[in-house]
Amino acid sequence: MEATGRVGCRRDRAAMAGRGSHRAAERRRPSGGARSQPRPGLARDGRAVGRQPYPLAYAWVRGRGAALRPWASGSQTETLVKVCGVMTPEDARMACEKGADFVGMIMSEGYKRSVDAVQASAIVSAARESGAEPVGIFTRETAQEIVAACDDVGLATVQLHGDTPRKNLKDLPTSLAVFYVVHSEGGALTTPLPAELAQIDLSVPDPAYWKKPIDWVSAGRRSVDYILVDKKEAGGTGSLDWDSLVVPKGCSRKGWVMAGGLTPENVGEAVKRFRPSIVDVSGGVTDGSGTKKDPEKVGDFIANAKAAA
């Protein structure tokens, strides 16, 4: 279900190029094996040391010691939970306290759970301080608009839920982690996968096309972290048809996300039946207002999801 990672030949070239400089550095190292600068990583007390690649930069949770979650450590052994459609920092903190790994907010205008830049910035801070990764959902923005919004509020992870954002994947920087949304209807995926947007000859589908060197040289970015299978409309109601659900394989770096119609009552069955990397919930854990999260529902959803895994 998970893809192998970034382009192998690129990694090999980087390794070969750095071999000489590495040996030279070894010769220059002071006696006793001491390094002049600490290697990037986590200190014994859990704090980040040196320059950190995403998402280890957010592994340190203030005031809680070393709280490295599975999505940050790279060793995922359980189904993770993303609570989406969050509109306030209070709901973000509550979801994190219940065990949410990701907190999503709709950055595009026009939905009942949309947030503005001020709200988004507060949610981003609340999520990170509580140990979860914030995710910004975009439904109609270009790559330039997505990057500007992320810079404005401090987002490092985005969800592409719309034709325009998906087509602009090639222009997004690799520093942004990406959830790429597809739709499953009638036993088929009705949304182009990342590889299909780059592949010239579609007569012979190649799910692994995104891993080929040409994607990095001539067609821009084609790698995504997760493929998210959802209903058609973001921020609304509806559910997936489980009997015809198509599970995407081999087209993302880390796995796939199941969303659309999940509730505290059915999430356990969904996890046991489909084994998604992440389950995503929004309307299934709101109170009567349809916008504010219900703490009891959020807690039950997360507990049931993780118990089933």
Side-chain angles (χ1 to χ4, degrees), residues 241-294:
D241 180 358
W242 289 14
D243 292 332
S244 65
L245 175 61
V246 178
V247 176
K249 297 181 180 180
C251 49
S252 65
R253 295 179 59 244
K254 298 180 181 179
W256 74 287
V257 185
M258 185 175 183
L262 293 179
T263 67
E265 291 73 31
N266 65 16
V267 68
E269 181 184 353
V271 170
K272 291 178 181 178
R273 181 172 173 180
F274 297 102
R275 296 296 175 185
S277 309
I278 303 173
V279 286
D280 186 311
V281 66
S282 182
V285 292
T286 58
D287 61 14
S289 68
T291 55
K292 183 175 175 56
K293 302 306 180 188
D294 183 299

Side-chain angles (χ1 to χ4, degrees), residues 19-29:
R19 188 174 298 164
S21 60
H22 174 71
R23 289 175 178 172
E26 290 290 335
R27 290 194 296 268
R28 293 194 299 269
R29 187 175 300 161

Side-chain angles (χ1 to χ4, degrees), residues 38-112:
R39 300 179 70 179
L42 294 178
R44 292 181 180 179
D45 61 358
R47 291 178 297 176
V49 175
R51 184 178 179 181
Q52 295 294 319
Y54 169 84
L56 286 178
Y58 308 121
W60 170 251
V61 184
R62 290 177 229 173
R64 293 192 180 187
L68 193 62
R69 295 203 173 184
W71 56 265
S73 67
S75 57
Q76 182 174 330
T77 58
E78 63 178 358
T79 296
L80 305 181
V81 175
K82 175 169 168 282
V83 176
C84 204
V86 171
M87 298 185 67
T88 66
E90 291 77 18
D91 274 357
R93 293 190 190 94
M94 179 273 293
C96 296
E97 290 172 358
K98 300 292 185 180
D101 303 285
F102 299 89
V103 171
M105 69 213 83
I106 300 177
M107 300 293 292
S108 302
E109 297 179 353
Y111 302 95
K112 66 179 180 180

Side-chain angles (χ1 to χ4, degrees), residues 97-277:
E97 290 172 358
K98 300 292 185 180
D101 303 285
F102 299 89
V103 171
M105 69 213 83
I106 300 177
M107 300 293 292
S108 302
E109 297 179 353
Y111 302 95
K112 66 179 180 180
R113 300 188 188 107
S114 295
V115 297
D116 59 26
V118 174
Q119 292 172 298
S121 182
I123 293 169
V124 167
S125 297
R128 288 219 180 100
E129 290 171 358
S130 301
E133 176 62 12
V135 181
I137 292 87
F138 296 89
T139 66
R140 62 179 72 93
E141 288 77 10
T142 64
Q144 183 178 5
E145 291 169 334
I146 291 171
V147 171
C150 290
D151 289 344
D152 190 24
V153 304
L155 280 167
T157 303
V158 299
Q159 181 171 312
L160 309 182
H161 198 140
D163 291 339
T164 298
R166 282 189 288 262
K167 290 177 181 177
N168 276 261
L169 169 65
K170 62 184 177 62
D171 297 318
L172 288 178
T174 55
S175 58
L176 287 177
V178 172
F179 284 60
Y180 183 98
V181 178
V182 299
H183 309 298
S184 175
E185 297 176 359
L189 293 178
T190 60
T191 309
L193 291 169
E196 294 174 326
L197 293 176
Q199 192 174 351
I200 297 175
D201 181 9
L202 293 178
S203 62
V204 183
D206 183 0
Y209 193 84
W210 65 275
K211 293 185 289 184
K212 296 184 178 180
I214 190 173
D215 293 340
W216 299 89
V217 175
S218 62
R221 175 179 179 169
R222 291 300 163 193
S223 64
V224 299
D225 294 82
Y226 292 99
I227 295 290
L228 188 152
V229 185
D230 198 0
K231 58 187 181 298
K232 186 67 175 178
E233 295 299 327
T237 60
S239 61
L240 293 171
D241 180 358
W242 289 14
D243 292 332
S244 65
L245 175 61
V246 178
V247 176
K249 297 181 180 180
C251 49
S252 65
R253 295 179 59 244
K254 298 180 181 179
W256 74 287
V257 185
M258 185 175 183
L262 293 179
T263 67
E265 291 73 31
N266 65 16
V267 68
E269 181 184 353
V271 170
K272 291 178 181 178
R273 181 172 173 180
F274 297 102
R275 296 296 175 185
S277 309

